[in-house]
Amino acid sequence: MTAMSSTDVNNSDTLQRLAAVIESRKPANGGDPQKSYVSRLLHKGPDAFLKKIGEEATETVMAAKDVDHGGDPAKLVYEVADLWFHSMIALAHYGLTPADVVNELARREGLSGLEEKALRKAHDRELRGE
């Protein structure tokens, strides 16, 4: 794992800027599906961008497998960027932001994955009245 460089820290608002661009491309905000890929995906509806998320997730897995066999790690970064981008389109569609995801990650910080999963299951049972 690589450490964050000062450039990474200085660019920490990249997700916020990208989220703002995605938001501006929503058809409801004047985005033109004829001129914008994001607008086109949002105009087509959830099936279009959810399909892209599935495709990008598969490409991410394949790139990771390639790295396991000597492939270029930059390809994995490229595919994860595509996955994140399309996931951000879904977040925008549902009225959510990257900050919501970061807040959820912060909430989980310090919990083991097993503890977090157990808490989530207990919360889900509580919601169902079990």
Side-chain angles (χ1 to χ4, degrees):
M1 182 176 273
T2 61
M4 282 182 52
S5 70
S6 60
T7 303
D8 295 329
V9 174
N10 292 336
N11 291 325
S12 65
D13 60 346
T14 299
L15 290 176
Q16 291 174 333
R17 288 192 313 270
L18 181 55
V21 169
I22 291 169
E23 190 68 28
S24 74
R25 299 294 201 274
K26 285 182 173 180
N29 294 335
D32 184 350
Q34 299 299 319
K35 296 179 180 177
S36 165
Y37 173 73
V38 171
S39 293
R40 188 176 315 133
L41 280 178
L42 290 167
H43 179 74
K44 288 181 179 180
D47 285 350
F49 57 77
L50 295 174
K51 180 180 176 185
K52 284 300 296 181
I53 291 171
E55 290 171 7
E56 298 303 342
T58 299
E59 291 172 7
T60 298
V61 169
M62 291 174 8
K65 290 293 201 178
D66 287 346
V67 172
D68 284 340
H69 299 283
D72 184 0
K75 175 75 169 150
L76 177 58
V77 171
Y78 180 89
E79 295 301 342
V80 170
D82 282 352
L83 178 59
W84 286 14
F85 175 76
H86 288 89
S87 296
M88 288 177 66
I89 293 171
L91 288 171
H93 174 79
Y94 295 110
L96 301 166
T97 68
D100 295 314
V101 177
V102 171
N103 289 339
E104 175 60 17
L105 291 171
R107 183 192 68 77
R108 295 178 186 187
E109 190 174 11
L111 290 177
S112 78
L114 297 175
E115 289 173 313
E116 195 281 325
K117 186 174 182 178
L119 289 171
R120 195 170 0 122
K121 283 185 176 183
H123 178 70
D124 290 347
R125 283 193 300 272
E126 186 178 300
L127 289 176
R128 290 191 306 265
E130 296 176 4

